[in-house]
């Protein structure tokens, strides 16, 4: 079983160059000069021996992930470090996922990097041997605030073409203890003391990054230039936005990157990860369909089919969770005297039964060959984009044309829905309009870098339509669930009154959405909004 530890740390170089910190192993300035630090306790030195695993072309390192097998120290075992972004936090923030020692990388860790490695094997690339001296920083009450580790490192490239002999350096790591309040202020105070003694913020983000750089085999310039570009990289950084191809590929790359980066979080069931990963798959599929003039649909349509499958797998449990939350919130608004029978218990039982197995099915899908083939296909598409002629044209006119084409499609569907008779036919027509609204929203979103403010405004307006239509569709689905719940209650000899009451409220909510749609659409579809997109 893997355990997760959140680490927040800063790294410093202490390699000599006139610095007193490089003079003797473990030597540090007086850290009690840092605010809140009352005592420093030095632990006995430790020797750590680690082998870092990656693909031969360093796909993990490209995304600042590290996978290592380490012996020595209190946390010997396998460690996978995943970068984390925390607002307002400077320094390195990573989740370290730990597994017991074993000869080969543990499956629970390799699964978390599969979206990066795909079908490439993991091999040991670098060995680091570290002599570590840890200094514990305590406050006046004796509570642990942070640990300052002075590391003397030797690194070898585990490759016959690696640099001869080890690379050597000294660095200092300052890591916050779990749960320490005002941690950034404490790190700032310790940094002031260390830099005052000659330390410098580390140029490399990790020991592995420095080791790879300093032990790299010598390559001819042409070999280095020919190295493959990671799937998430954008080759158009120097001229982003000049052509329609630049704009569309930038958007596609961002969504592929989101799928890849959210994969580990979805596997770990972190909040909102599955939903955001599903959104990225939908944005990708929508971009392929909207921008068929830029990317050849003969190449993208098969990927679109697979993205639709993945979105369905990601939504299996999520849709049920959202529905259960909607029904639970609605039930909470019903006065207690109108809750007849065990309605809360029945709703919980119904929700658990419908969600049973959804997570196991998702993990099986993410571990399966179909998903792996999709990732390979997306990577191949980014490596050799199937660009059509209009991709070379200036971006504004091409992308504006795609957005306006999607607008006309949405307009036809809205008009059909407004003309449809009330009931199932209108419900289905409004659902089709909702899908069209989502598609144009994503198309305008992708066009933003080329069209600027008009595209952003258009995105916001179409999002309003999508949200109203989405609420209507959620009501349709909720009413179907309430019919099912009422039927189950009747068969069990319970009252179905409360479920009928909730059904009526959902019906009224849907009717309200239908009444509001004409006025909202009249505003969104005003000619001046479309005219702003024309170039």
């Amino acid at each position: 079983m893997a355990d997760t530890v959140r680490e927040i740390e800063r790294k410093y170089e202490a390699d000599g160059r006139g610095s007193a910190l490089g003079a003797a192993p473990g030597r540090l300035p007086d850290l009690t000069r840092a605010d809140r630090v009352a005592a420093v306790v030095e632990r006995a030195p430790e020797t750590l021996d680690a082998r870092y695993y990656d693909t031969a072309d360093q796909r993990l390192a490209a995304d600042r992930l590290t996978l290592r097998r380490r012996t020595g120290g209190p946390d010997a075992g396998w460690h996978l470090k995943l970068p984390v972004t925390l607002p307002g936090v400077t320094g390195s923030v990573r989740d370290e996922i730990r597994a017991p020692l074993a000869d080969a990388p543990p499956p629970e860790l390799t699964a978390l990097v599969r979206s990066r490695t795909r079908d490439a094997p993991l091999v040991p690339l670098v060995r680091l041997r570290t002599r570590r001296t840890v200094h514990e920083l305590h406050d006046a009450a004796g509570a642990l605030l942070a640990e300052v580790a002075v590391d003397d490192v030797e690194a070898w490239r585990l490759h016959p073409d690696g640099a001869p002999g080890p690379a050597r350096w000294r660095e200092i790591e300052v890591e916050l203890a779990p749960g320490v309040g005002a941690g950034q202020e404490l790190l700032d105070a310790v940094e002031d003391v260390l830099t005052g003694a000659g330390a410098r913020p580390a140029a490399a983000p990790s020991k592995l990054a420095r080791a790879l750089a300093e032990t790299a085999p010598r390559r001819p310039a042409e070999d280095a230039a020919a190295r493959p570009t990671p799937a998430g990289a954008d080759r158009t950084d120097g001229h982003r936005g000049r052509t329609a191809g630049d704009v569309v590929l930038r958007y596609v790359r961002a969504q592929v990157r989101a799928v890849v980066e959210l994969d580990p979080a979805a596997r770990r069931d972190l909040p909102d990860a599955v939903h955001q990963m599903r959104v990225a798959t939908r944005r990708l599929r929508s971009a392929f369909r909207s921008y068929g003039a830029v990317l050849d649909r003969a190449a993208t349509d098969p990927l679109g089919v697979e993205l639709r499958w993945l979105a369905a797998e990601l939504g299996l449990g999520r849709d049920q969770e959202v529905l259960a939350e909607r029904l639970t919130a609605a039930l909470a608004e019903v006065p207690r005297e109108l809750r007849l029978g065990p309605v809360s218990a029945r709703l919980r039982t119904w929700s658990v039964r419908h969600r049973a197995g959804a997570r196991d099915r998702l993990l099986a899908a993410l571990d399966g060959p179909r998903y792996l083939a999709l990732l390979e296909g997306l990577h191949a598409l980014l490596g050799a984009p199937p660009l059509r002629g209009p991709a070379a044209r200036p971006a504004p006119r091409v992308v504006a044309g795609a957005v306006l084409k999607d607008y006309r499609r949405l307009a036809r569907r809205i008009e059909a829905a407004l003309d449809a008779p009330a009931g199932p036919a209108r419900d289905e027509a409004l659902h089709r309009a909702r899908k069209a609204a989502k598609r144009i929203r994503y198309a305008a979103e992708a066009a933003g870098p080329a069209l600027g403010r008009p595209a952003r405004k258009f995105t916001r307006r179409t999002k309003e339509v999508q949200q109203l239509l989405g609420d209507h569709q959620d009501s349709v689905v909720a009413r179907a669930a309430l019919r099912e719940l009422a039927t189950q209650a009747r068969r069990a000899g319970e009252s179905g009154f409360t479920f009928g009451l909730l059904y009526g409220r959902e019906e009224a909510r849907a009717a309200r959405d239908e009444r509001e749609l004409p006025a909202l659409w009249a505003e969104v579809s005003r000619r001046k909004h479309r005219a702003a997109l024309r170039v």
Side-chain angles (χ1 to χ4, degrees):
M1 177 66 71
D3 298 320
T4 302
V5 176
R6 172 68 54 84
E7 62 175 30
I8 301 175
E9 64 182 20
R10 297 183 188 176
K11 294 177 180 291
Y12 304 89
E13 296 177 0
D15 291 312
R17 303 180 192 177
S19 166
L21 295 173
R27 178 173 177 177
L28 287 175
D30 180 9
L31 293 174
T32 60
R33 301 205 314 265
D35 188 38
R36 296 173 62 191
V37 178
V40 179
V41 177
E42 181 177 335
R43 300 206 303 248
E46 305 165 337
T47 299
L48 313 175
D49 198 334
R51 291 175 183 259
Y52 286 78
Y53 284 67
D54 203 339
T55 61
D57 56 357
Q58 301 177 24
R59 297 177 187 179
L60 300 187
D63 281 351
R64 300 178 68 173
L65 277 68
T66 61
L67 175 64
R68 72 186 178 201
R69 182 187 187 275
R70 191 168 77 182
T71 58
D75 61 348
W78 284 92
H79 304 153
L80 171 64
K81 296 193 178 191
L82 302 172
V84 176
T85 301
L86 292 180
V89 175
T90 57
S92 171
V93 184
R94 296 185 289 184
D95 277 349
E96 182 177 277
I97 304 171
R98 300 173 178 174
L101 275 175
D103 291 337
E108 60 266 39
L109 299 189
T110 57
L112 296 175
V113 299
R114 187 163 292 124
S115 64
R116 269 86 170 189
T117 61
R118 300 187 300 281
D119 60 351
L122 288 164
V123 295
L125 289 187
V126 171
R127 180 186 178 190
L128 265 65
R129 185 175 174 86
T130 303
R131 185 183 187 277
R132 167 167 289 180
T133 304
V134 175
H135 304 255
E136 299 178 354
L137 308 187
H138 296 263
D139 64 14
L144 180 64
L145 296 173
E147 292 183 351
V148 181
V150 180
D151 291 340
D152 291 291
V153 185
E154 291 183 323
W156 295 264
R157 178 68 67 105
L158 301 176
H159 189 284
D161 296 331
R168 295 184 175 89
W169 70 89
R170 173 174 291 176
E171 72 176 39
I172 299 172
E173 291 183 359
V174 184
E175 181 175 350
L176 284 178
V180 173
Q184 292 298 292
E185 290 83 351
L186 175 64
L187 290 175
D188 289 343
V190 174
E191 179 171 296
D192 288 343
V193 176
L194 291 175
T195 55
R200 302 173 307 281
S206 66
K207 287 184 176 66
L208 175 62
R210 182 166 181 174
L212 288 171
E214 297 196 9
T215 65
R218 296 184 179 275
R219 294 177 179 271
E222 60 272 18
D223 288 351
R227 293 187 67 185
T229 301
D234 190 338
R235 294 178 178 174
T236 65
D237 284 346
H239 52 280
R240 183 175 294 168
R242 288 185 181 174
T243 68
D246 293 337
V247 170
V248 174
L249 283 175
R250 178 189 183 190
Y251 187 77
V252 168
R253 284 192 178 96
Q255 305 318 313
V256 173
R257 184 163 52 247
V259 171
V260 169
E261 292 180 351
L262 286 163
D263 175 293
R267 292 174 185 270
R268 295 167 63 197
D269 203 20
L270 297 185
D272 208 34
V274 171
H275 171 62
Q276 291 302 325
M277 188 173 175
R278 187 188 190 191
V279 169
T281 65
R282 286 174 163 174
R283 283 175 165 147
L284 263 177
R285 183 166 173 259
S286 179
F288 290 158
R289 297 171 74 186
S290 295
Y291 292 102
V294 175
L295 294 174
D296 189 348
R297 290 193 60 169
T300 61
D301 278 356
L303 291 173
V305 170
E306 297 306 288
L307 288 166
R308 183 177 184 180
W309 161 78
L310 178 58
E313 295 295 326
L314 290 165
L316 193 64
R318 169 68 181 177
D319 287 346
Q320 184 62 33
E321 180 184 2
V322 170
L323 176 57
E325 290 174 353
R326 182 182 181 105
L327 296 180
T328 300
L331 181 59
E333 295 176 357
V334 175
R336 188 172 300 276
E337 64 271 17
L338 298 181
R339 299 181 205 171
L340 305 185
V343 288
S344 295
R346 179 158 296 284
L347 178 56
R348 284 194 300 270
T349 301
W350 172 86
S351 177
V352 169
R353 186 175 70 252
H354 278 264
R355 293 177 64 188
R359 176 145 184 83
D360 289 342
R361 178 171 165 174
L362 172 59
L363 292 176
L366 295 180
D367 286 334
R370 188 172 182 178
Y371 175 60
L372 184 62
L374 171 58
L375 292 177
E376 289 288 359
L378 292 171
H379 181 75
L381 178 136
L382 292 177
L387 297 173
R388 300 183 65 198
R393 298 174 187 167
R397 187 175 298 276
V398 175
V399 298
V403 173
L404 292 172
K405 181 179 178 180
D406 279 349
Y407 164 81
R408 292 190 291 270
R409 180 171 175 268
L410 172 60
R412 289 193 299 269
R413 292 196 176 185
I414 291 283
E415 291 164 5
L418 294 175
D419 290 340
R426 182 180 294 172
D427 291 342
E428 177 59 29
L430 288 169
H431 184 39
R432 285 169 52 81
R434 171 179 173 259
K435 292 179 180 179
K438 186 176 295 186
R439 177 168 160 177
I440 189 176
R441 172 191 165 193
Y442 293 152
E445 192 177 76
L451 301 180
R453 188 177 178 187
R456 292 192 293 272
K457 286 187 174 182
F458 204 77
T459 301
R460 288 196 296 270
R461 293 187 184 102
T462 53
K463 184 177 180 180
E464 291 178 21
V465 175
Q466 177 197 330
Q467 288 175 334
L468 184 142
L469 295 173
D471 184 69
H472 185 276
Q473 177 61 18
D474 289 346
S475 178
V476 172
V477 174
R479 279 178 277 159
L482 289 166
R483 282 195 300 269
E484 180 183 347
L485 284 161
T487 300
Q488 292 175 0
R490 179 179 58 79
R491 289 173 179 170
E494 301 165 3
S495 171
F497 171 83
T498 305
F499 295 123
L501 175 63
L502 292 175
Y503 186 99
R505 290 185 174 185
E506 286 289 354
E507 203 169 38
R509 186 169 178 174
R512 181 200 65 200
D513 290 336
E514 293 178 25
R515 289 193 303 272
E516 292 178 358
L517 177 59
L520 176 60
W521 178 242
E523 170 58 31
V524 170
S525 61
R526 292 173 66 183
R527 185 181 298 273
K528 69 174 186 178
H529 300 325
R530 300 194 303 279
L533 293 176
R534 299 186 186 278
V535 292

Short mmCIF file of all heavy atoms in Angstrom, two decimals, residues 397-421:
data_model
loop_
_atom_site.label_atom_id
_atom_site.label_comp_id
_atom_site.label_asym_id
_atom_site.label_seq_id
_atom_site.Cartn_x
_atom_site.Cartn_y
_atom_site.Cartn_z
N ARG A 397 -9.01 35.20 -39.49
CA ARG A 397 -10.11 34.93 -40.41
C ARG A 397 -10.52 33.46 -40.37
O ARG A 397 -11.71 33.13 -40.40
CB ARG A 397 -9.71 35.33 -41.83
CG ARG A 397 -10.87 35.23 -42.82
CD ARG A 397 -10.45 35.74 -44.19
NE ARG A 397 -10.07 37.14 -44.14
CZ ARG A 397 -10.94 38.16 -44.22
NH1 ARG A 397 -12.23 37.92 -44.31
NH2 ARG A 397 -10.52 39.40 -44.18
N VAL A 398 -9.54 32.56 -40.27
CA VAL A 398 -9.85 31.12 -40.28
C VAL A 398 -10.60 30.71 -39.02
O VAL A 398 -11.63 30.03 -39.08
CB VAL A 398 -8.56 30.30 -40.44
CG1 VAL A 398 -8.87 28.79 -40.34
CG2 VAL A 398 -7.89 30.61 -41.78
N VAL A 399 -10.11 31.13 -37.86
CA VAL A 399 -10.75 30.69 -36.62
C VAL A 399 -12.09 31.38 -36.43
O VAL A 399 -13.04 30.78 -35.89
CB VAL A 399 -9.83 30.89 -35.40
CG1 VAL A 399 -8.56 30.07 -35.54
CG2 VAL A 399 -9.50 32.36 -35.17
N ALA A 400 -12.20 32.63 -36.86
CA ALA A 400 -13.50 33.31 -36.77
C ALA A 400 -14.53 32.60 -37.64
O ALA A 400 -15.70 32.43 -37.24
CB ALA A 400 -13.37 34.77 -37.20
N GLY A 401 -14.12 32.14 -38.82
CA GLY A 401 -15.03 31.40 -39.67
C GLY A 401 -15.52 30.12 -39.02
O GLY A 401 -16.70 29.76 -39.13
N ALA A 402 -14.63 29.43 -38.29
CA ALA A 402 -15.02 28.19 -37.61
C ALA A 402 -16.01 28.49 -36.48
O ALA A 402 -17.00 27.76 -36.30
CB ALA A 402 -13.78 27.49 -37.06
N VAL A 403 -15.78 29.55 -35.74
CA VAL A 403 -16.69 29.90 -34.64
C VAL A 403 -18.06 30.27 -35.19
O VAL A 403 -19.10 29.84 -34.66
CB VAL A 403 -16.10 31.07 -33.81
CG1 VAL A 403 -17.12 31.55 -32.78
CG2 VAL A 403 -14.82 30.63 -33.11
N LEU A 404 -18.09 31.06 -36.26
CA LEU A 404 -19.37 31.48 -36.82
C LEU A 404 -20.12 30.31 -37.45
O LEU A 404 -21.36 30.25 -37.41
CB LEU A 404 -19.15 32.59 -37.86
CG LEU A 404 -18.65 33.92 -37.26
CD1 LEU A 404 -18.27 34.89 -38.35
CD2 LEU A 404 -19.71 34.52 -36.34
N LYS A 405 -19.40 29.36 -38.00
CA LYS A 405 -20.04 28.15 -38.53
C LYS A 405 -20.71 27.37 -37.40
O LYS A 405 -21.85 26.90 -37.53
CB LYS A 405 -19.01 27.28 -39.24
CG LYS A 405 -19.59 26.02 -39.85
CD LYS A 405 -18.50 25.22 -40.56
CE LYS A 405 -19.08 23.91 -41.13
NZ LYS A 405 -18.02 23.11 -41.81
N ASP A 406 -20.01 27.26 -36.26
CA ASP A 406 -20.61 26.58 -35.11
C ASP A 406 -21.79 27.38 -34.56
O ASP A 406 -22.76 26.80 -34.05
CB ASP A 406 -19.56 26.38 -34.01
CG ASP A 406 -18.67 25.17 -34.28
OD1 ASP A 406 -19.00 24.40 -35.19
OD2 ASP A 406 -17.65 25.02 -33.58
N TYR A 407 -21.70 28.71 -34.65
CA TYR A 407 -22.82 29.53 -34.21
C TYR A 407 -24.07 29.23 -35.03
O TYR A 407 -25.17 29.10 -34.48
CB TYR A 407 -22.49 31.02 -34.30
CG TYR A 407 -23.72 31.88 -34.23
CD1 TYR A 407 -24.31 32.18 -33.01
CD2 TYR A 407 -24.34 32.35 -35.40
CE1 TYR A 407 -25.47 32.92 -32.94
CE2 TYR A 407 -25.50 33.08 -35.34
CZ TYR A 407 -26.07 33.37 -34.10
OH TYR A 407 -27.24 34.08 -34.05
N ARG A 408 -23.91 29.15 -36.34
CA ARG A 408 -25.08 28.86 -37.19
C ARG A 408 -25.68 27.50 -36.86
O ARG A 408 -26.91 27.33 -36.88
CB ARG A 408 -24.67 28.95 -38.66
CG ARG A 408 -24.32 30.37 -39.11
CD ARG A 408 -24.15 30.46 -40.61
NE ARG A 408 -22.95 29.76 -41.06
CZ ARG A 408 -21.75 30.34 -41.15
NH1 ARG A 408 -21.59 31.61 -40.80
NH2 ARG A 408 -20.73 29.65 -41.60
N ARG A 409 -24.84 26.57 -36.53
CA ARG A 409 -25.32 25.24 -36.12
C ARG A 409 -26.12 25.34 -34.83
O ARG A 409 -27.21 24.74 -34.69
CB ARG A 409 -24.11 24.31 -35.94
CG ARG A 409 -24.42 22.89 -35.53
CD ARG A 409 -23.11 22.11 -35.64
NE ARG A 409 -23.25 20.75 -35.17
CZ ARG A 409 -23.03 20.37 -33.92
NH1 ARG A 409 -22.65 21.27 -33.01
NH2 ARG A 409 -23.18 19.11 -33.55
N LEU A 410 -25.61 26.11 -33.86
CA LEU A 410 -26.33 26.30 -32.60
C LEU A 410 -27.66 27.00 -32.85
O LEU A 410 -28.68 26.63 -32.26
CB LEU A 410 -25.46 27.11 -31.63
CG LEU A 410 -26.14 27.57 -30.33
CD1 LEU A 410 -26.61 26.38 -29.50
CD2 LEU A 410 -25.20 28.46 -29.52
N ALA A 411 -27.66 28.02 -33.70
CA ALA A 411 -28.89 28.77 -33.96
C ALA A 411 -29.97 27.85 -34.52
O ALA A 411 -31.14 27.93 -34.12
CB ALA A 411 -28.60 29.91 -34.94
N ARG A 412 -29.59 26.96 -35.44
CA ARG A 412 -30.58 26.03 -35.99
C ARG A 412 -31.16 25.13 -34.91
O ARG A 412 -32.36 24.85 -34.88
CB ARG A 412 -29.94 25.19 -37.10
CG ARG A 412 -29.62 25.97 -38.37
CD ARG A 412 -29.27 25.03 -39.52
NE ARG A 412 -28.10 24.21 -39.23
CZ ARG A 412 -26.85 24.56 -39.53
NH1 ARG A 412 -26.61 25.73 -40.11
NH2 ARG A 412 -25.85 23.76 -39.27
N ARG A 413 -30.32 24.70 -34.00
CA ARG A 413 -30.79 23.79 -32.96
C ARG A 413 -31.66 24.52 -31.92
O ARG A 413 -32.63 23.95 -31.42
CB ARG A 413 -29.61 23.09 -32.29
CG ARG A 413 -28.90 22.13 -33.23
CD ARG A 413 -28.00 21.18 -32.50
NE ARG A 413 -27.40 20.22 -33.42
CZ ARG A 413 -26.63 19.20 -33.03
NH1 ARG A 413 -26.38 19.02 -31.74
NH2 ARG A 413 -26.13 18.37 -33.92
N ILE A 414 -31.29 25.74 -31.60
CA ILE A 414 -32.12 26.51 -30.67
C ILE A 414 -33.50 26.75 -31.28
O ILE A 414 -34.54 26.57 -30.62
CB ILE A 414 -31.45 27.86 -30.33
CG1 ILE A 414 -30.19 27.65 -29.50
CG2 ILE A 414 -32.42 28.78 -29.59
CD1 ILE A 414 -30.40 27.33 -28.06
N GLU A 415 -33.53 27.15 -32.54
CA GLU A 415 -34.81 27.41 -33.20
C GLU A 415 -35.66 26.14 -33.27
O GLU A 415 -36.88 26.17 -33.05
CB GLU A 415 -34.56 27.97 -34.59
CG GLU A 415 -33.97 29.38 -34.57
CD GLU A 415 -33.37 29.79 -35.89
OE1 GLU A 415 -33.49 29.00 -36.86
OE2 GLU A 415 -32.76 30.88 -35.97
N ALA A 416 -35.03 25.00 -33.54
CA ALA A 416 -35.76 23.74 -33.59
C ALA A 416 -36.32 23.40 -32.22
O ALA A 416 -37.46 22.90 -32.09
CB ALA A 416 -34.85 22.62 -34.08
N ALA A 417 -35.56 23.67 -31.17
CA ALA A 417 -36.02 23.36 -29.82
C ALA A 417 -37.19 24.26 -29.42
O ALA A 417 -38.16 23.80 -28.80
CB ALA A 417 -34.87 23.52 -28.83
N LEU A 418 -37.10 25.53 -29.77
CA LEU A 418 -38.18 26.45 -29.42
C LEU A 418 -39.47 26.12 -30.18
O LEU A 418 -40.57 26.39 -29.69
CB LEU A 418 -37.75 27.88 -29.70
CG LEU A 418 -36.60 28.43 -28.83
CD1 LEU A 418 -36.19 29.82 -29.28
CD2 LEU A 418 -37.00 28.45 -27.36
N ASP A 419 -39.34 25.52 -31.36
CA ASP A 419 -40.51 25.16 -32.15
C ASP A 419 -41.08 23.79 -31.79
O ASP A 419 -42.21 23.47 -32.20
CB ASP A 419 -40.16 25.16 -33.65
CG ASP A 419 -39.91 26.57 -34.18
OD1 ASP A 419 -40.37 27.52 -33.52
OD2 ASP A 419 -39.25 26.70 -35.23
N ALA A 420 -40.30 22.99 -31.04
CA ALA A 420 -40.74 21.62 -30.72
C ALA A 420 -41.87 21.65 -29.70
O ALA A 420 -41.92 22.54 -28.84
CB ALA A 420 -39.56 20.81 -30.18
N PRO A 421 -42.80 20.68 -29.78
CA PRO A 421 -43.87 20.61 -28.78
C PRO A 421 -43.30 20.27 -27.40
O PRO A 421 -42.30 19.56 -27.29
CB PRO A 421 -44.77 19.49 -29.31
CG PRO A 421 -43.88 18.66 -30.16
CD PRO A 421 -42.90 19.60 -30.79
#
